[in-house]
Amino acid sequence: MWSKLVDAQSGQGKTPLSSDIDASALDQFFDDKVAGVLAATARADEPRFTPAPVRCELCLFTPVTQIEIIEMVLAVPDKQCLSDPLPTWLLKKSVNVLALFLCWLFCWYLKHGIVLSSMKSYIMLILLVLSKLLKRLVSKQLVHLLENDLFPDLYSAYRSNHSTETAVLKVLSDILLALDSGKLALLSLLDLSAAFDSVDHDTLLQRLQTSYGLGRNIISWFASYLSTC
């Protein structure tokens, strides 16, 4: 990562790693990169949204239960992030005691459609495991996107039983079938620079509401989660 940053800033292919690079320089590098992508696409056409199918909506999050919390905590991998002061093994060992509090905390966030700024930094920077649990709870409740066939059949990212391996196998299979049929096979690959970082939040929220049938409370939760304040 650091060597790539030095190369990108200097314009040279093999620049020695500089000891002067700090976290601020790394942060500025990605800020400038995203700003460049946004500037290059500033004149793009306004986004268009396909309406969600009839009766396809998720108006409110379903309250989570203590049993659900316990099961989810016990399923967390045992690997530990060095910046996380709450060891996974300790969370698992204490889950029966903490389940009531965690259940109340997560339900409060989901019910009010908000993540408090003070608690957001607390979750994101300190209790990394709890942050992951909260995101998994939300992801689990968005399963209606799959139940209503709102994802393309060949969509693989963040989807159960799908991965880069299944995507590669699909492409390879199509190529081999084409060649076996005496056809010419061509493969074109597209890599979008800073694809996730340059997503417009307003456009994303509008798409979730219009095309995927998410209610205002859920949209408010996502808006709060994505905000920096």
Side-chain angles (χ1 to χ4, degrees):
M1 173 64 75
W2 292 106
S3 60
K4 290 182 179 179
L5 175 57
V6 176
D7 295 345
Q9 289 183 328
S10 64
Q12 301 177 6
K14 295 182 179 180
T15 302
L17 182 62
S18 172
S19 60
D20 296 332
I21 296 178
D22 55 17
S24 297
L26 180 64
D27 181 65
Q28 188 62 50
F29 167 77
F30 285 106
D31 283 346
D32 293 342
K33 180 178 181 180
V34 172
V37 173
L38 294 177
T41 58
R43 297 184 179 181
D45 295 337
E46 290 295 323
R48 299 180 180 181
F49 306 102
T50 302
V54 179
R55 298 187 183 89
C56 174
E57 61 182 11
L58 183 63
C59 297
L60 298 171
F61 285 118
T62 302
V64 297
T65 65
Q66 293 186 51
I67 294 179
E68 187 177 4
I69 294 294
I70 294 174
E71 292 177 346
M72 186 165 292
V73 169
L74 295 179
V76 172
D78 290 328
K79 58 182 180 180
Q80 177 66 26
C81 178
L82 295 179
S83 60
D84 194 337
L86 179 61
T88 305
W89 66 265
L90 180 58
L91 176 61
K92 289 184 175 181
K93 186 176 181 179
S94 308
V95 66
N96 290 326
V97 177
L98 297 175
L100 179 60
F101 165 74
L102 295 178
C103 184
W104 178 89
L105 178 67
F106 293 152
C107 283
W108 191 93
Y109 283 141
L110 300 181
K111 177 182 178 180
H112 292 83
I114 190 174
V115 179
L116 296 178
S117 57
S118 58
M119 292 299 294
K120 186 187 308 181
S121 60
Y122 177 70
I123 289 178
M124 294 304 294
L125 300 181
I126 300 180
L127 296 181
L128 304 181
V129 175
L130 298 189
S131 173
K132 294 179 180 179
L133 289 175
L134 178 59
K135 289 185 288 186
R136 288 177 182 175
L137 286 171
V138 172
S139 176
K140 183 178 180 180
Q141 297 205 23
L142 294 183
V143 69
H144 93 288
L145 301 179
L146 299 176
E147 295 176 344
N148 291 280
D149 296 327
L150 296 179
F151 282 161
D153 293 337
L154 299 181
Y155 181 84
S156 295
Y158 310 107
R159 191 174 182 180
S160 179
N161 300 320
H162 291 72
S163 65
T164 53
E165 293 184 4
T166 58
V168 169
L169 288 175
K170 171 60 178 175
V171 173
L172 179 60
S173 175
D174 289 346
I175 292 176
L176 294 177
L177 288 174
L179 295 178
D180 289 342
S181 301
K183 299 178 181 179
L184 179 63
L186 298 176
L187 176 62
S188 178
L189 302 176
L190 175 64
D191 182 19
L192 301 178
S193 179
F196 286 98
D197 296 328
S198 56
V199 170
D200 182 82
H201 290 174
D202 291 336
T203 301
L204 172 62
L205 295 173
Q206 183 62 47
R207 181 171 175 80
L208 288 174
Q209 185 174 25
T210 304
S211 301
Y212 294 94
L214 300 187
R216 292 183 180 181
N217 181 271
I218 297 179
I219 295 299
S220 296
W221 187 93
F222 276 103
S224 177
Y225 190 86
L226 292 171
S227 66
T228 57
C229 58

